Amino acid sequence: MATVRFLGLAETLNRKPVEFKAPFKKSSEYYGSNVFNDKAMREFLTKEAYVAVRGAMEHGSKIDRSMADQIASAMKAWAMSKDAMHYTHWFQPLTGATAEKHDAFFEPTEDGRAIEKFNGAMLVQQEPDASSFPNGGIRNTFEARGYTAWDPSSPAFIMNDTLCIPTVFVSYTGEALDYKTPLLRALQVVDQAATQVCQYFDRNVTKVHATLGWEQEYFLVDSAYFVARPDLVMTGRTLVGHSPAKGQQLEDHYFGSIPERVMQFMREVEYESHLLGIPVKTRHNEVAPAQFEFAPIFEEANVAVDHNSLFMDLLEKVARRHNFRVLLHEKPFAGINGSGKHNNWSLATNTGTNLLSPGKTPKRNLQFLTFFVNAIVAVDRHADLLRASIASAGNDHRLGANEAPPAIISVFLGQQLSAVLDELEKVESGKLSPEQKTELKLNVVGKIPEILLDNTDRNRTSPFAFTGNKFEFRAVGSAANCAQSMTVLNTIVANQLFEFKKSVDSLIEQGLKKDDALFNVLRDLISTSHKVRFEGDGYSEDWKNEAAKRGLSNLPDTPRALKAYVSESSKALFEKLNILNHIELEARYDILLEDYFKKIQIESRTLGDLVTNHILPTAMNYQAQVAEGALKLKSLYDERTFAQLAKPQLDLVTELGNRIHILSSEVSAMTEARKVANKIEDPEARAVAYCDSVKPHFETIRYHVDKLELSVDNALWPLPKYREMLYAR
Ligand code: ADP
Ligand code: MG
């Protein structure tokens, strides 16, 4: 067994960076060249087809069949001009991975030849079997068939010689079976709600879109180590492994110089991303050893979500070419930081205004404050839903682990804006006096600087922080599909904006001037959303106590956190705004629970195998070896000298024996707990059983395995160690 480790080590020591050189000097020469973007559309589409696609992209207008035929044939011509001979509907089922089923353009003709065929019907809709994807029982109630349907708002692209068409994935009866469907619905309602509210300030606003800029953290390990770790292969994280002497305590990795092998990998990732029009701009080392980050420029949220899914796929593909494996798991290594995916979010108008960016005039700033306050209130009223949107088995290791924001949802505003809200809260009820209005406009609202100095005062411990011109939702997990958090965030903000509009309009109807009505409603909202605002250290114990006093939830595990999805108020909210009906919501809830307990089940089985087949045999062999050595000593010495001399050996034999005993009984107990859990039919109860009675064994088992790692001969240890995986590059 030991040879695996040393072969791996030898292999990694001989690694040379895999050189990568883009065939072009400047990104501008190839950026977006594999995307059916505006430039390609103008070149390949007829004028009327171009107008039809743009209409569908911008206003969701329908495309008829003959027009779809025209568009399909133009897409085919474009794709073939780039040597793509296949096409696929590309979608995001609730598995966490993207799905594609390639079909060739080619079609045999009667005279024995073949032609390339791709028509409107093929572009617009396909029918993959929904029963092979997570569907939460929807197919049992209705039909196994599912549909994928073209989403013209996200451009088609070519990957691996295949034309990929972004699509939604729904059941035969129209229930959403993917991430994109509810996201598109949420983006539509937030557009509607925000556009209405913008009318108070600017009549030219006809459309508002949500923006998303994700920051993707990940780990890289050498592929030789990866394949020698059954836990990494099966679960994406290490289930055992003692911390190395040097972790991240020297703080020498963050923004450090990028190792050459990693640099070559990053270059290729950037190149591939840019071909696909993913605007990746930033690359750097992260806090933990072997941890890195990529971030693009923000985009319209639906496109940004697709790009992130595509990007995670790209990372994995490119990593293999460089003899790396990328770990997207939230907590691949114990004892050092895990990975997140900050979701930077804002709202932007068709007139080019970022609604969360302060401006030059009091009027612009009142608009800014309106959206700012409503976003805070949305998070305050629906913190549990936001928490549910980031719940996963992997993210449970991160949230609240003093390296990532806690599982308590709060909002950080910064000193300056907190002060502004405090002033606004003092506004008197009803009609404002001319003096007060002047004072507010000139000295409160008017004084919000265009660039907020607080920008530098970043509070890294807040899960939802305002960072100058956007909110940064930091609690999202690195492996998550951003659609989940973006669907919930945009839904709750849309709902809040509708409520806001209702309140303001009702005051106007009662005779208040528009500005007076706005100030009155904002004041009420500020005074009723204090509990969610927190500027202090989110990692501290004090905050946990304080949050509990304020009545904020602290839901540290996924089964409990997910429950918020199916509360009566969530069902009503999602249904009212047509994001997800209660059947879809319940199906989704079951799918997420299932995903959770299956992941814990796989981890538990893998850990059992690791201990039984790798760790225990090694420890037992080593124990026998040491015992034999002791026996030999015994033949050389008298009783007293032997007892003295052989004490270390004898102690070690005992220690190994104790740990072997504990481990084998813990593994049996864990297996028993699994058997009990597996008999539970109800997904919610089963998830809870996995969380409460299977998972706790992991810690005890890990503790003793990690102690064994320190006791057993290094040459015999069957697994690559942390110090090797994290530092050998
Ligand atoms: P950092 O947070 O690392 O200091 P930035 O503040 O420049 O860096 O941006 C981080 C991320 O936020 C980037 O992906 C950036 O594109 C994104 N971002 C910036 N402005 C917005 C916005 N208005 N809406 C959404 N994302 C944004
Ligand atoms: Mg950031």
Side-chain angles (χ1 to χ4, degrees), residues 176-195:
L177 293 175
D178 67 347
Y179 288 114
K180 192 191 263 285
T181 305
L183 174 69
L184 288 176
R185 294 172 185 160
L187 294 173
Q188 207 181 343
V189 289
V190 86
D191 169 16
Q192 208 187 344
T195 302

PDB file of all heavy atoms in Angstrom, residues 176-195:
ATOM      1  N   ALA A 176     -41.021  23.080 -12.939  1.00  0.00           N
ATOM      2  CA  ALA A 176     -39.582  23.317 -13.073  1.00  0.00           C
ATOM      3  C   ALA A 176     -38.790  22.144 -12.492  1.00  0.00           C
ATOM      4  O   ALA A 176     -39.051  21.692 -11.388  1.00  0.00           O
ATOM      5  CB  ALA A 176     -39.217  24.585 -12.320  1.00  0.00           C
ATOM      6  N   LEU A 177     -37.826  21.642 -13.262  1.00  0.00           N
ATOM      7  CA  LEU A 177     -36.960  20.567 -12.768  1.00  0.00           C
ATOM      8  C   LEU A 177     -35.501  21.001 -12.762  1.00  0.00           C
ATOM      9  O   LEU A 177     -34.595  20.165 -12.719  1.00  0.00           O
ATOM     10  CB  LEU A 177     -37.113  19.319 -13.645  1.00  0.00           C
ATOM     11  CG  LEU A 177     -38.459  18.605 -13.619  1.00  0.00           C
ATOM     12  CD1 LEU A 177     -38.474  17.460 -14.628  1.00  0.00           C
ATOM     13  CD2 LEU A 177     -38.754  18.071 -12.222  1.00  0.00           C
ATOM     14  N   ASP A 178     -35.281  22.292 -12.853  1.00  0.00           N
ATOM     15  CA  ASP A 178     -33.898  22.763 -12.978  1.00  0.00           C
ATOM     16  C   ASP A 178     -33.700  24.031 -12.148  1.00  0.00           C
ATOM     17  O   ASP A 178     -34.604  24.495 -11.456  1.00  0.00           O
ATOM     18  CB  ASP A 178     -33.567  23.028 -14.449  1.00  0.00           C
ATOM     19  CG  ASP A 178     -34.365  24.206 -15.006  1.00  0.00           C
ATOM     20  OD1 ASP A 178     -35.340  24.646 -14.339  1.00  0.00           O
ATOM     21  OD2 ASP A 178     -34.030  24.705 -16.083  1.00  0.00           O
ATOM     22  N   TYR A 179     -32.503  24.589 -12.238  1.00  0.00           N
ATOM     23  CA  TYR A 179     -32.201  25.832 -11.527  1.00  0.00           C
ATOM     24  C   TYR A 179     -32.651  27.064 -12.301  1.00  0.00           C
ATOM     25  O   TYR A 179     -32.955  28.097 -11.744  1.00  0.00           O
ATOM     26  CB  TYR A 179     -30.696  25.941 -11.288  1.00  0.00           C
ATOM     27  CG  TYR A 179     -30.191  24.986 -10.243  1.00  0.00           C
ATOM     28  CD1 TYR A 179     -29.324  23.948 -10.570  1.00  0.00           C
ATOM     29  CD2 TYR A 179     -30.594  25.117  -8.916  1.00  0.00           C
ATOM     30  CE1 TYR A 179     -28.859  23.066  -9.602  1.00  0.00           C
ATOM     31  CE2 TYR A 179     -30.145  24.252  -7.952  1.00  0.00           C
ATOM     32  CZ  TYR A 179     -29.278  23.232  -8.289  1.00  0.00           C
ATOM     33  OH  TYR A 179     -28.836  22.366  -7.334  1.00  0.00           O
ATOM     34  N   LYS A 180     -32.611  26.949 -13.639  1.00  0.00           N
ATOM     35  CA  LYS A 180     -32.822  28.143 -14.446  1.00  0.00           C
ATOM     36  C   LYS A 180     -34.274  28.624 -14.444  1.00  0.00           C
ATOM     37  O   LYS A 180     -34.525  29.834 -14.420  1.00  0.00           O
ATOM     38  CB  LYS A 180     -32.351  27.879 -15.882  1.00  0.00           C
ATOM     39  CG  LYS A 180     -32.261  29.139 -16.741  1.00  0.00           C
ATOM     40  CD  LYS A 180     -32.056  28.786 -18.207  1.00  0.00           C
ATOM     41  CE  LYS A 180     -30.612  28.841 -18.651  1.00  0.00           C
ATOM     42  NZ  LYS A 180     -30.118  30.201 -18.827  1.00  0.00           N
ATOM     43  N   THR A 181     -35.226  27.690 -14.453  1.00  0.00           N
ATOM     44  CA  THR A 181     -36.628  28.096 -14.601  1.00  0.00           C
ATOM     45  C   THR A 181     -37.071  29.074 -13.498  1.00  0.00           C
ATOM     46  O   THR A 181     -37.539  30.173 -13.808  1.00  0.00           O
ATOM     47  CB  THR A 181     -37.541  26.848 -14.653  1.00  0.00           C
ATOM     48  OG1 THR A 181     -37.053  26.006 -15.693  1.00  0.00           O
ATOM     49  CG2 THR A 181     -38.979  27.213 -14.915  1.00  0.00           C
ATOM     50  N   PRO A 182     -36.911  28.705 -12.222  1.00  0.00           N
ATOM     51  CA  PRO A 182     -37.339  29.679 -11.200  1.00  0.00           C
ATOM     52  C   PRO A 182     -36.483  30.942 -11.206  1.00  0.00           C
ATOM     53  O   PRO A 182     -36.986  32.024 -10.891  1.00  0.00           O
ATOM     54  CB  PRO A 182     -37.172  28.921  -9.878  1.00  0.00           C
ATOM     55  CG  PRO A 182     -36.291  27.767 -10.175  1.00  0.00           C
ATOM     56  CD  PRO A 182     -36.465  27.440 -11.625  1.00  0.00           C
ATOM     57  N   LEU A 183     -35.231  30.821 -11.598  1.00  0.00           N
ATOM     58  CA  LEU A 183     -34.383  32.014 -11.659  1.00  0.00           C
ATOM     59  C   LEU A 183     -34.947  33.001 -12.677  1.00  0.00           C
ATOM     60  O   LEU A 183     -35.093  34.198 -12.388  1.00  0.00           O
ATOM     61  CB  LEU A 183     -32.937  31.644 -12.034  1.00  0.00           C
ATOM     62  CG  LEU A 183     -32.023  32.845 -12.255  1.00  0.00           C
ATOM     63  CD1 LEU A 183     -31.759  33.582 -10.934  1.00  0.00           C
ATOM     64  CD2 LEU A 183     -30.702  32.442 -12.901  1.00  0.00           C
ATOM     65  N   LEU A 184     -35.292  32.501 -13.867  1.00  0.00           N
ATOM     66  CA  LEU A 184     -35.829  33.397 -14.897  1.00  0.00           C
ATOM     67  C   LEU A 184     -37.120  34.055 -14.411  1.00  0.00           C
ATOM     68  O   LEU A 184     -37.349  35.244 -14.645  1.00  0.00           O
ATOM     69  CB  LEU A 184     -36.081  32.629 -16.198  1.00  0.00           C
ATOM     70  CG  LEU A 184     -34.823  32.220 -16.976  1.00  0.00           C
ATOM     71  CD1 LEU A 184     -35.204  31.373 -18.194  1.00  0.00           C
ATOM     72  CD2 LEU A 184     -34.033  33.449 -17.440  1.00  0.00           C
ATOM     73  N   ARG A 185     -37.940  33.267 -13.696  1.00  0.00           N
ATOM     74  CA  ARG A 185     -39.192  33.842 -13.185  1.00  0.00           C
ATOM     75  C   ARG A 185     -38.884  34.929 -12.143  1.00  0.00           C
ATOM     76  O   ARG A 185     -39.504  35.989 -12.136  1.00  0.00           O
ATOM     77  CB  ARG A 185     -40.056  32.750 -12.559  1.00  0.00           C
ATOM     78  CG  ARG A 185     -40.568  31.728 -13.576  1.00  0.00           C
ATOM     79  CD  ARG A 185     -41.255  30.582 -12.856  1.00  0.00           C
ATOM     80  NE  ARG A 185     -41.672  29.501 -13.740  1.00  0.00           N
ATOM     81  CZ  ARG A 185     -41.939  28.258 -13.305  1.00  0.00           C
ATOM     82  NH1 ARG A 185     -41.844  27.967 -12.023  1.00  0.00           N
ATOM     83  NH2 ARG A 185     -42.312  27.321 -14.143  1.00  0.00           N
ATOM     84  N   ALA A 186     -37.907  34.669 -11.291  1.00  0.00           N
ATOM     85  CA  ALA A 186     -37.562  35.647 -10.246  1.00  0.00           C
ATOM     86  C   ALA A 186     -36.989  36.919 -10.870  1.00  0.00           C
ATOM     87  O   ALA A 186     -37.287  38.031 -10.422  1.00  0.00           O
ATOM     88  CB  ALA A 186     -36.565  35.047  -9.266  1.00  0.00           C
ATOM     89  N   LEU A 187     -36.181  36.738 -11.914  1.00  0.00           N
ATOM     90  CA  LEU A 187     -35.584  37.918 -12.554  1.00  0.00           C
ATOM     91  C   LEU A 187     -36.657  38.758 -13.228  1.00  0.00           C
ATOM     92  O   LEU A 187     -36.578  39.986 -13.249  1.00  0.00           O
ATOM     93  CB  LEU A 187     -34.508  37.490 -13.554  1.00  0.00           C
ATOM     94  CG  LEU A 187     -33.283  36.829 -12.910  1.00  0.00           C
ATOM     95  CD1 LEU A 187     -32.335  36.278 -13.971  1.00  0.00           C
ATOM     96  CD2 LEU A 187     -32.544  37.811 -11.984  1.00  0.00           C
ATOM     97  N   GLN A 188     -37.663  38.068 -13.724  1.00  0.00           N
ATOM     98  CA  GLN A 188     -38.764  38.793 -14.353  1.00  0.00           C
ATOM     99  C   GLN A 188     -39.561  39.595 -13.327  1.00  0.00           C
ATOM    100  O   GLN A 188     -39.891  40.757 -13.571  1.00  0.00           O
ATOM    101  CB  GLN A 188     -39.664  37.777 -15.040  1.00  0.00           C
ATOM    102  CG  GLN A 188     -40.420  38.337 -16.204  1.00  0.00           C
ATOM    103  CD  GLN A 188     -41.304  37.247 -16.817  1.00  0.00           C
ATOM    104  OE1 GLN A 188     -41.119  36.047 -16.576  1.00  0.00           O
ATOM    105  NE2 GLN A 188     -42.278  37.683 -17.588  1.00  0.00           N
ATOM    106  N   VAL A 189     -39.836  39.020 -12.169  1.00  0.00           N
ATOM    107  CA  VAL A 189     -40.623  39.784 -11.178  1.00  0.00           C
ATOM    108  C   VAL A 189     -39.810  40.907 -10.550  1.00  0.00           C
ATOM    109  O   VAL A 189     -40.355  41.958 -10.249  1.00  0.00           O
ATOM    110  CB  VAL A 189     -41.272  38.956 -10.036  1.00  0.00           C
ATOM    111  CG1 VAL A 189     -42.412  38.133 -10.548  1.00  0.00           C
ATOM    112  CG2 VAL A 189     -40.288  38.143  -9.272  1.00  0.00           C
ATOM    113  N   VAL A 190     -38.515  40.699 -10.391  1.00  0.00           N
ATOM    114  CA  VAL A 190     -37.734  41.782  -9.791  1.00  0.00           C
ATOM    115  C   VAL A 190     -37.635  42.935 -10.789  1.00  0.00           C
ATOM    116  O   VAL A 190     -37.645  44.112 -10.409  1.00  0.00           O
ATOM    117  CB  VAL A 190     -36.351  41.300  -9.280  1.00  0.00           C
ATOM    118  CG1 VAL A 190     -35.290  41.304 -10.369  1.00  0.00           C
ATOM    119  CG2 VAL A 190     -35.889  42.158  -8.101  1.00  0.00           C
ATOM    120  N   ASP A 191     -37.605  42.608 -12.065  1.00  0.00           N
ATOM    121  CA  ASP A 191     -37.626  43.638 -13.105  1.00  0.00           C
ATOM    122  C   ASP A 191     -38.915  44.454 -12.984  1.00  0.00           C
ATOM    123  O   ASP A 191     -38.894  45.687 -12.874  1.00  0.00           O
ATOM    124  CB  ASP A 191     -37.513  42.953 -14.478  1.00  0.00           C
ATOM    125  CG  ASP A 191     -37.787  43.887 -15.652  1.00  0.00           C
ATOM    126  OD1 ASP A 191     -37.768  45.117 -15.448  1.00  0.00           O
ATOM    127  OD2 ASP A 191     -38.007  43.386 -16.775  1.00  0.00           O
ATOM    128  N   GLN A 192     -40.025  43.727 -12.919  1.00  0.00           N
ATOM    129  CA  GLN A 192     -41.330  44.379 -12.841  1.00  0.00           C
ATOM    130  C   GLN A 192     -41.429  45.265 -11.591  1.00  0.00           C
ATOM    131  O   GLN A 192     -41.799  46.448 -11.685  1.00  0.00           O
ATOM    132  CB  GLN A 192     -42.356  43.256 -12.753  1.00  0.00           C
ATOM    133  CG  GLN A 192     -43.698  43.557 -13.295  1.00  0.00           C
ATOM    134  CD  GLN A 192     -44.631  42.379 -12.944  1.00  0.00           C
ATOM    135  OE1 GLN A 192     -44.181  41.273 -12.580  1.00  0.00           O
ATOM    136  NE2 GLN A 192     -45.912  42.623 -13.039  1.00  0.00           N
ATOM    137  N   ALA A 193     -41.065  44.708 -10.450  1.00  0.00           N
ATOM    138  CA  ALA A 193     -41.198  45.445  -9.189  1.00  0.00           C
ATOM    139  C   ALA A 193     -40.273  46.655  -9.155  1.00  0.00           C
ATOM    140  O   ALA A 193     -40.680  47.761  -8.781  1.00  0.00           O
ATOM    141  CB  ALA A 193     -40.895  44.517  -8.017  1.00  0.00           C
ATOM    142  N   ALA A 194     -39.031  46.463  -9.552  1.00  0.00           N
ATOM    143  CA  ALA A 194     -38.050  47.552  -9.471  1.00  0.00           C
ATOM    144  C   ALA A 194     -38.376  48.643 -10.486  1.00  0.00           C
ATOM    145  O   ALA A 194     -38.230  49.837 -10.196  1.00  0.00           O
ATOM    146  CB  ALA A 194     -36.645  47.007  -9.699  1.00  0.00           C
ATOM    147  N   THR A 195     -38.847  48.232 -11.670  1.00  0.00           N
ATOM    148  CA  THR A 195     -39.193  49.236 -12.681  1.00  0.00           C
ATOM    149  C   THR A 195     -40.323  50.133 -12.155  1.00  0.00           C
ATOM    150  O   THR A 195     -40.271  51.354 -12.295  1.00  0.00           O
ATOM    151  CB  THR A 195     -39.598  48.555 -14.007  1.00  0.00           C
ATOM    152  OG1 THR A 195     -38.509  47.743 -14.434  1.00  0.00           O
ATOM    153  CG2 THR A 195     -39.901  49.576 -15.086  1.00  0.00           C
TER     154      THR A 195
END
